[in-house]
Amino acid sequence: MTVYVNMDDFERAKGMIFPRNVLLGHDILGQVVDVCDDFKFPKTGLIVTGDTTYKAAGRTVQQYMEDAKYNIHVHMTEDSTFANADNIVAAAKETGAKFILAVGGGSKIDLSKIASKKLKIPFISVPTSGAHDGIASGRASMKSDVGPLSVDAVVPLAIVADTHVISKSPYRLLASGCADVISNLTAVMDWEFARRLKNEEFSRSAEALSRYSSETIIENSKLIRPNFEESVWIAMRPIIISGVTMSIAGSSRPTSGAEHMFSHALDIMHPGTALHGEQCGVGAIMMMYLHGGNWMKIRNALEDIGAPVDAKGLGLGPEAIIDALAEAHKVRNDRFTILGDRGLSRETAETVARTTMVI
């Protein structure tokens, strides 16, 4: 039998944008200048940073850039709110900045992503901690009156991650970043679940890289510990790769499932109690149980790293976990996960949390 296919009917297209240069290593802040030179940036730029991160790396980056005859302005900012992003846009316009250097943790990088998109100018990610995989992604987590919002932004043109600088940041941040990446394991299971039941668009390459980043952290969990720069080296590569998977997929699907919805529910009910990655790690333990997978593997890896594995570790009581787990399915109606459309009853949520030793 001969099958005739009209190739003229095929109109599918997809774009993927990745960081063009990723530098990771010891004492490499000075290479920010080389990256700017390689991209032939104009001579006027804006450093977006905060009080602590300016002292940790921003001042050094500013000095390197000024020594190389760049006209660099510094904008101090705080939380990742849309108002602060607008302030960065205004500062860039006022100073005539043609590029942004985001020197800081997650909020400074997320704000720079938004400002960069609005201004249509490039930005370079210079992380001072490894708190989550947003270092390399084109998504920004922004605060709002209804809780955190994940919004489309831009991918950094380059990443300059100095392991010495990051190793000096509070270890809790790195442990949280590792927990965030470990939680990819349940995110991709949710994604596969949605592909089977809802025929959701799926990327096997994004899924494979996301799973690889998680497994790399888990396999090396006993080597990731405080005051050890090599731990940063081990952790930052999969953290960066995890962020890149979102560019491949065109969404946060390979890194965000029911465990993130649980985390967002906690953010709404108990804002500021624990870190994002910490909450996602605990959520992943319970979601892996619901998937029928090896939840102890996740729990053990989190314990090795020193990340929370239960309500007490998150600074919460049992009721907070049960409430968030029962309400998590309402956080994103557009994302089908193991929680289904109706979620879990409080009784089931309590059983899951107790069985997995989260409460």
Side-chain angles (χ1 to χ4, degrees):
M1 182 179 71
T2 303
V3 177
Y4 295 96
V5 179
N6 183 359
M7 297 303 292
D8 292 336
D9 292 338
F10 187 80
E11 297 179 348
R12 191 172 181 177
K14 180 179 180 181
M16 291 182 284
I17 302 174
F18 306 107
R20 286 172 54 187
N21 198 347
V22 178
L23 302 177
L24 172 66
H26 175 80
D27 197 22
I28 62 168
L29 282 184
Q31 294 188 39
V32 172
V33 173
D34 298 330
V35 173
C36 292
D37 288 346
D38 288 345
F39 287 132
K40 294 180 171 52
F41 281 175
K43 285 297 184 178
T44 302
L46 183 71
I47 290 178
V48 173
T49 189
D51 290 338
T52 301
T53 52
Y54 180 71
K55 294 172 185 174
R59 181 189 291 115
T60 302
V61 170
Q62 180 185 10
Q63 190 62 58
Y64 278 127
M65 295 295 288
E66 289 177 347
D67 288 348
K69 308 305 181 187
Y70 278 87
N71 179 26
I72 292 296
H73 302 270
V74 176
H75 179 79
M76 297 287 190
T77 190
E78 296 180 355
D79 294 338
S80 53
T81 65
F82 290 102
N84 282 338
D86 289 339
N87 290 337
I88 295 171
V89 170
K93 289 180 177 178
E94 181 180 346
T95 59
K98 301 302 181 186
F99 64 90
I100 294 173
L101 303 178
V103 183
S107 62
K108 311 307 179 289
I109 293 172
D110 283 342
L111 286 168
S112 296
K113 291 176 187 178
I114 298 294
S116 175
K117 182 177 182 178
K118 289 186 175 183
L119 292 162
K120 295 187 168 89
I121 63 174
F123 91 97
I124 294 175
S125 175
V126 187
T128 57
S129 70
H132 61 68
D133 57 10
I135 291 166
S137 77
R139 308 288 300 179
S141 180
M142 304 296 288
K143 294 183 178 181
S144 74
D145 294 337
V146 295
L149 297 176
S150 177
V151 298
D152 187 41
V154 295
V155 174
L157 190 61
I159 302 167
V160 179
D162 190 311
T163 54
H164 178 70
V165 169
I166 296 170
S167 70
K168 298 301 180 183
S169 67
Y171 177 73
R172 181 187 177 190
L173 299 176
L174 184 68
S176 176
C178 291
D180 191 23
V181 173
I182 287 173
S183 77
N184 288 6
L185 283 182
T186 52
V188 295
M189 292 177 79
D190 277 337
W191 196 14
E192 175 70 30
F193 189 51
R195 184 191 69 81
R196 294 197 309 269
L197 271 66
K198 300 288 187 177
N199 198 32
E200 186 171 317
E201 185 174 350
F202 188 82
S203 167
R204 187 61 66 186
S205 53
E207 181 268 344
L209 279 176
S210 180
R211 191 178 295 278
Y212 163 80
S213 63
S214 300
E215 295 289 359
T216 300
I217 295 286
I218 291 172
E219 289 169 7
N220 292 281
S221 60
K222 293 185 183 301
L223 300 177
I224 301 173
R225 55 186 189 269
N227 306 314
F228 189 48
E229 188 175 344
E230 190 170 348
S231 295
V232 178
W233 171 260
I234 293 169
M236 287 303 294
R237 291 176 65 248
I239 286 174
I240 291 171
I241 290 170
S242 178
V244 168
T245 66
M246 289 182 252
S247 294
I248 297 173
S251 76
S252 61
R253 252 312 194 176
T255 65
S256 176
E259 72 297 320
H260 273 63
M261 292 158 67
F262 166 75
S263 175
H264 292 327
L266 284 178
D267 288 335
I268 294 168
M269 298 175 179
H270 305 278
T273 304
L275 298 177
H276 168 77
E278 294 174 336
Q279 296 174 166
C280 290
V282 172
I285 296 172
M286 296 186 288
M287 302 313 163
M288 185 60 81
Y289 170 82
L290 290 173
H291 275 289
N294 186 356
W295 57 270
M296 278 299 297
K297 175 182 175 181
I298 293 177
R299 196 178 201 280
N300 291 338
L302 292 172
E303 283 191 318
D304 287 343
I305 292 165
V309 295
D310 54 26
K312 183 179 179 181
L314 294 177
L316 297 166
E319 290 300 311
I321 298 296
I322 297 168
D323 290 342
L325 190 54
E327 295 294 316
H329 69 289
K330 299 177 182 178
V331 172
R332 290 197 65 163
N333 294 327
D334 63 328
R335 184 149 291 183
F336 188 73
T337 70
I338 193 64
L339 297 175
D341 295 321
R342 297 186 178 181
L344 307 180
S345 67
R346 288 194 90 263
E347 291 76 17
T348 301
E350 181 175 358
T351 298
V352 171
R354 290 196 184 281
T355 304
T356 56
M357 299 181 285
V358 170
I359 61 172

